[in-house]
Amino acid sequence: MAESHEDTHTPFPHFGTLATHAGQDPDQWNTRAVVPPISLSSTFKQASPGKPFPYEYSRGGNPNRDVFEKCMASLENARFAIATSSGVAAPTLIAQTLESGDHIVCVDVYVGTLRYFKSILSRFGIQATFLDTIDLPSVEKAIQENTKMVWMEASTNPLLRMVDIGAVAKLAKGRKPDITVVIDNSFMTPYFLRPLDHGLDIVYYSVTKYLNGHTDVTMGVLCTNNDDLAKKLRFQQFAGGAVPSPFDCYLANRGLKTLHLRMREHQKNAFAVARFLQASPHVTEVMYPGLPSHPQHELAKRQCRGFSGMVSFRIKGTLENTKKFLESLKVFILAESFGGYGSLVDHPALMTHKYASAEERERIGVSDTLVRLSVGLEDMEDLLTDLEQALKSSQET
């Protein structure tokens, strides 16, 4: 039997300790509270006109946001973290550093990012080249004289394809040293992958997903080690207002405390689910980077400290078989999003990717029989039993 990377991956040193303590020092509060108190005030008293204390106005800074950002930067091995009002607000903020006439190379990006670039950013004279492939020659060919950014995902949504992020960064900066290399790491989280360590400039997340982990926050965050980028992004956020609420920051900061524990269990259950699906006669294809059958399995082992809790697969049959499967599930909940403690199931063609045309969905591999699972923290046996009965139901005439 092939070696199981789920049991042999080495976590980043001190991850759990950093998640617990970074930015959380009780001595920063007059009350010495062990849990950071929630600060809901929108404005703060000044010592004299134009001489504020650490905080002036909550759009520019808030104690709960600072605590979350310090902890997040520590987990990412980054110098700067900037929390945003939603996951989409983070890439929007990044894109706003561009100017009319600039060009972006997008390497197999999520359809929501593609929609923003095509429908909104293009109206401001910013061009984009969209690549469905993840090979380096295609990336090199797409870089133009006016290319300012290369944009990618650590593990693509929903097909879970992997790209050699360090190689892409090296190639891009070899062609143009001033190119900014950006990545969405929401699927992998900093527990399994720290993209800045691979030479990238900006990594961003939908905090809504794994980082918060409780399906009760809408929020984003981006991290960088670049002083100039951090200053520009911070100013644009203050001017544009895409800031999260203090309460959301409080909840997300709490979520980080168990990120390492949750990701271990997400991955453990995902491995079991992927192997079960691979053995099922009702499934034609399973996509999980932890499986030796995955096309980029060896790359994933070299690049990451694990494989996360996302599994995609194709059901045998037609759209009707797929619908019957989705409607038969009892533990997995049919809903968009991912990364919460509870298992979710998504039908990309009719849900997360419904705004893409049928031709576009076919081109990127989002078929009517494709299913994406966010494998949660339930008992493994219950998850497998649920999948088994729903798959059997899907094939009944």
Side-chain angles (χ1 to χ4, degrees):
M1 183 175 177
E3 180 184 24
S4 172
H5 193 63
E6 65 181 304
D7 298 320
T8 60
H9 82 274
T10 303
F12 291 106
H14 316 298
F15 194 97
T17 302
L18 292 172
T20 303
H21 294 292
Q24 316 297 305
D25 186 0
D27 287 336
Q28 66 188 302
W29 319 115
N30 289 334
T31 61
R32 303 301 190 269
V34 173
V35 176
I38 303 173
S39 177
L40 296 176
S41 182
S42 61
T43 191
F44 301 86
K45 179 183 177 180
Q46 300 192 14
S48 63
K51 293 185 177 181
F53 293 103
Y55 303 101
E56 182 176 5
Y57 188 65
S58 200
R59 176 158 46 88
N62 172 276
N64 293 108
R65 197 192 320 167
D66 280 1
V67 165
F68 170 79
E69 289 177 345
K70 288 175 182 176
C71 190
M72 188 64 215
S74 177
L75 296 181
E76 193 62 54
N77 195 27
R79 295 178 59 209
F80 309 101
I82 300 174
T84 63
S85 54
S86 70
V88 172
T92 300
L93 193 64
I94 297 167
Q96 286 172 349
T97 64
L98 298 170
E99 298 179 357
S100 180
D102 288 347
H103 173 256
I104 312 172
V105 175
C106 299
V107 184
D108 200 4
V109 296
Y110 172 57
V111 69
T113 307
L114 185 148
R115 180 173 63 237
Y116 171 70
F117 287 162
K118 279 189 173 181
S119 302
I120 298 176
L121 209 58
S122 62
R123 303 204 314 260
F124 297 92
I126 297 170
Q127 306 165 346
T129 298
F130 301 98
L131 303 178
D132 297 329
T133 59
I134 55 178
D135 60 284
L136 292 178
S138 298
V139 176
E140 184 171 22
K141 185 178 179 180
I143 294 175
Q144 305 173 9
E145 192 63 33
N146 61 336
T147 301
K148 299 296 184 183
M149 279 186 182
V150 172
W151 204 294
M152 54 186 163
E153 294 183 336
S155 179
T156 66
N157 183 6
L159 299 181
L160 305 180
R161 296 193 289 189
M162 306 289 293
V163 60
D164 189 332
I165 63 174
V168 171
K170 183 178 180 180
L171 183 154
K173 292 184 176 294
R175 284 284 305 274
K176 296 190 69 180
D178 63 337
I179 281 182
T180 300
V181 184
V182 181
I183 191 166
D184 179 348
N185 197 33
S186 297
F187 270 15
M188 298 306 295
T189 81
Y191 183 70
F192 291 127
L193 176 64
R194 288 174 168 171
L196 300 185
D197 291 350
H198 293 259
L200 281 74
D201 298 294
I202 303 175
V203 55
Y204 72 90
Y205 299 89
S206 174
V207 176
T208 308
K209 313 303 195 297
Y210 282 120
L211 298 185
N212 178 61
H214 291 75
T215 320
D216 54 7
V217 161
T218 300
M219 192 170 143
V221 69
L222 60 90
C223 300
T224 184
N225 285 322
N226 186 297
D227 291 75
D228 292 337
L229 277 174
K231 289 176 183 176
K232 185 181 291 188
L233 291 163
R234 186 73 75 182
F235 173 77
Q236 288 183 176
Q237 182 186 43
F238 177 73
V243 299
S245 75
F247 188 62
D248 280 350
C249 291
Y250 167 83
L251 290 175
N253 181 61
R254 183 190 64 174
L256 292 180
K257 303 296 166 279
T258 57
L259 178 62
H260 57 301
L261 304 175
R262 289 184 285 107
M263 295 314 296
R264 291 173 197 164
E265 289 301 306
H266 282 300
Q267 177 174 250
K268 179 181 175 182
N269 281 348
F271 259 105
V273 165
R275 289 178 179 133
F276 168 81
L277 293 172
Q278 198 170 45
S280 173
H282 310 308
V283 173
T284 63
E285 182 183 5
V286 180
M287 289 150 264
Y288 184 64
L291 293 177
S293 59
H294 190 279
Q296 292 91 41
H297 176 65
E298 292 303 319
L299 168 63
K301 286 202 298 183
R302 293 195 311 270
Q303 182 166 272
C304 306
R305 302 292 181 106
F307 309 105
S308 200
M310 304 300 298
V311 179
S312 293
F313 67 100
R314 301 187 198 276
I315 289 181
K316 182 179 179 181
T318 65
L319 177 60
E320 292 308 311
N321 297 104
T322 310
K323 284 183 175 179
K324 194 166 186 180
F325 166 77
L326 296 169
E327 293 165 358
S328 299
L329 289 165
K330 295 178 172 58
V331 178
F332 283 84
I333 296 175
L334 182 63
E336 296 184 6
S337 196
F338 64 88
Y341 55 80
S343 293
L344 301 180
V345 60
D346 167 53
H347 185 263
L350 296 181
M351 295 168 68
T352 51
H353 290 62
K354 63 185 176 184
Y355 296 109
S357 66
E359 295 77 15
E360 194 167 41
R361 289 197 300 270
E362 182 178 0
R363 179 174 54 82
I364 63 177
V366 178
S367 65
D368 286 344
T369 59
L370 179 67
V371 174
R372 189 192 75 184
L373 301 177
S374 174
V375 183
L377 306 178
E378 299 92 343
D379 289 331
M380 184 189 301
E381 295 78 6
D382 294 329
L383 295 175
L384 300 183
T385 299
D386 192 35
L387 290 170
E388 183 176 27
Q389 63 82 22
L391 284 169
K392 287 182 179 177
S393 296
S394 74
Q395 303 301 312
E396 293 175 354
T397 56

